[in-house]
Each structure stands twice: as structure tokens, then as C-alpha cells.
Amino acid sequence: MAQAVRRSPLSHFSHFSPFAFLNSDGRPHPVENSFAAVTLLLGGVAAITAIWDGLHLVSSWTGLAGVATGMWAQFISATTGERFVTVIGLGAAAVGMYLGVAHGGFIT
């Protein structure tokens, strides 16, 4: 049973991952973590660009993409950390989208 003891050559680098706090169950979830990170990024962009009236197209579309990505991330999430990051990103994306729509909408 030597194959049962064999470890991956990169397994000792797993604690250096920037998403290590998202993997609270000890297993890697690259797809779920990526969706959570993209949701947070899109939500941040939507919320920041919603400050200016002239960037309503960016904030509206980025917010819509962030909400759609966040809903899928919530659907496939495996740990509480992923859900926490996704909800923060979803909230920011929704606020950015709503303010973008209030400033002019999806079309100029």
C-alpha cells in the first residue's frame, strides 16, 4: 500500500494559498473559491464605479455580472468561508447595480 502514503509534490504548499481560510474543511475547492473571488471583485468594481454618475454603464453591467456570478457561487459553495465572501460580494454588486441603474441604466 505504498500508493496510499504517497503525497502530491505540491501538497506542502497548500497552506500558502491566498484562499486557505476558505477551505475550512481541509480540502481544496478551486472552482468554488474562484467564483467567490470573482464575485467579490465584480462587487467591488460595481460599488466603486457607482460613485460617479458617468460610469453608470460600468457599474450596472458589472453589478449584474456580479449578482449572477454570486448567485451561482452560493449555489455551489462548500464552506462557510466561501459563503461569507460571496455574500459580501453579492451585496456590493447589488448596490453597485442599483445605483448604476438609478444613474442612467444599462443603456446610454
Side-chain angles (χ1 to χ4, degrees):
M1 290 258 259
Q3 70 274 12
V5 181
R6 195 175 312 152
R7 302 178 90 191
S8 169
L10 297 177
S11 66
H12 60 281
F13 290 116
S14 65
H15 63 280
F16 292 117
S17 171
F19 300 116
F21 70 97
L22 298 179
N23 300 327
S24 60
D25 61 350
R27 292 181 291 168
H29 304 284
V31 173
E32 292 87 347
N33 293 346
S34 299
F35 270 101
V38 167
T39 301
L40 189 64
L41 178 70
L42 289 172
V45 169
I48 290 171
T49 57
I51 296 170
W52 296 280
D53 293 342
L55 294 176
H56 64 88
L57 285 173
V58 176
S59 61
S60 300
W61 286 106
T62 308
L64 183 64
V67 168
T69 305
M71 295 300 278
W72 185 254
Q74 280 290 86
F75 182 69
I76 65 170
S77 65
T79 64
T80 305
E82 292 165 359
R83 292 182 193 109
F84 177 78
V85 171
T86 302
V87 167
I88 299 296
L90 264 168
V95 167
M97 183 182 73
Y98 295 148
L99 288 175
V101 168
H103 290 158
F106 292 102
I107 302 171
T108 59

